[in-house]
Amino acid sequence: DPKIIQKPKYLVAVTGSEKILICEQYLGHNAMYWYRQSAKKPLEFMFSYSYQKLMDNQTASSRFQPQSSKKNHLDLQITALKPDDSATYFCASSQRDRNQAPLFGEGTRLSVL
Amino acid sequence: GDSVTQTEGPVTVSESESLIINCTYSATSIAYPNLFWYVRYPGEGLQLLLKVITAGQKGSSRGFEATYNKETTSFHLQKASVQESDSAVYYCALGDPNTGNYKYVFGAGTRLKVIA
């Protein structure tokens, strides 16, 4: 069974709309992250949360807002969607410990028309 | 800034042949980066394949190996004999141990197809 659950797997949205990408982890980790991979680009780090607090934000746009209602949840709200937001969004988690490699979910593929 | 460059795919290899996927890095803001290889099989998430945190050391897993070469700033992935089940996308990444290794810099990924 997957330990990091991302929902939905695929998402189609229209320009200007708002969507929420869901991420839950059942690994007991205390830190969670979001990464994004656009077409033909490397995965890019977006956010990191530890104990439900924002630790690092590498995303310039305020249209991207992480939301943590529980310590094992880190959802990603995206508002005013643009076609350039089309990408696969990966959630990851780890114990906040040096040198531990995060585990990743399967990703949510978002297409904005 | 920091960056990772890896072999551009797709790479097609016949079963039982050897494989090398090149990875070079530039870590201008990280004195001693940790290096990683991740793999993404079809329909699955990224999985850690191997990691090396000390320059000069070699990591290995599932028949794959990679050596952290600080002189050439490389971390090439090799396997002596590939199998069809190795078909996947491989990602090289570097992390900063001083920040907890979560803010990775990834390469673009190399799609490997192994044919029978």
Side-chain angles (χ1 to χ4, degrees):
Chain A
D1 290 336
K3 299 296 196 295
I4 300 179
I5 297 173
Q6 290 191 243
K7 292 184 284 190
K9 278 193 171 182
Y10 304 98
L11 189 55
V12 179
V14 296
T15 298
S17 66
E18 171 183 313
K19 292 294 180 186
I20 296 179
L21 281 56
I22 306 295
C23 178
E24 306 169 358
Q25 56 93 2
Y26 296 94
L27 296 159
H29 288 163
N30 55 22
M32 297 183 71
Y33 321 102
W34 278 102
Y35 279 78
R36 169 176 57 191
Q37 185 173 28
S38 304
K40 299 190 178 181
K41 289 186 178 180
L43 278 88
E44 299 172 300
F45 171 81
M46 298 178 74
F47 298 98
S48 108
Y49 262 64
S50 182
Y51 296 104
Q52 295 185 265
K53 292 184 180 178
L54 178 66
M55 301 301 292
D56 203 342
N57 178 355
Q58 291 287 98
T59 302
S61 175
S62 60
R63 296 186 299 106
F64 294 83
Q65 290 293 327
Q67 299 173 340
S68 181
S69 59
K70 300 178 187 177
K71 67 177 182 180
N72 69 325
H73 282 229
L74 185 64
D75 300 335
L76 182 63
Q77 179 186 42
I78 314 174
T79 58
L81 279 160
K82 303 177 180 180
D84 280 351
D85 297 331
S86 298
T88 299
Y89 291 81
F90 291 97
C91 177
S93 71
S94 71
Q95 272 303 104
R96 190 155 177 83
D97 175 49
R98 281 193 180 192
N99 301 328
Q100 184 183 72
L103 298 178
F104 285 78
E106 296 179 17
T108 292
R109 183 181 291 181
L110 171 65
S111 297
V112 182
L113 307 177
Chain B
D2 305 322
S3 64
V4 173
T5 303
Q6 58 183 104
T7 300
E8 188 173 335
V11 172
T12 302
V13 180
S14 297
E15 202 168 30
S16 78
E17 288 191 350
S18 64
L19 168 73
I20 181 166
I21 298 176
N22 291 331
C23 172
T24 57
Y25 67 90
S26 171
T28 56
S29 66
I30 308 170
Y32 301 99
N34 292 169
L35 300 177
F36 306 83
W37 277 101
Y38 276 82
V39 58
R40 188 179 184 201
Y41 297 104
E44 298 183 17
L46 278 78
Q47 301 176 24
L48 178 66
L49 180 60
L50 57 87
K51 73 174 185 181
V52 180
I53 64 173
T54 304
Q57 298 296 309
K58 180 168 70 177
S60 59
S61 173
R62 309 181 207 175
F64 289 90
E65 57 183 36
T67 299
Y68 184 161
N69 190 321
K70 193 171 174 65
E71 286 69 38
T72 59
T73 63
S74 65
F75 191 55
H76 306 319
L77 183 68
Q78 302 183 69
K79 189 172 187 181
S81 176
V82 297
Q83 304 169 348
E84 271 193 272
S85 58
D86 293 326
S87 296
V89 182
Y90 293 81
Y91 297 89
C92 184
L94 65 84
D96 184 350
N98 291 316
T99 60
N101 251 342
Y102 61 83
K103 195 160 55 178
Y104 283 179
V105 175
F106 277 90
T110 301
R111 183 175 298 276
L112 171 66
K113 182 176 180 181
V114 180
I115 55 177

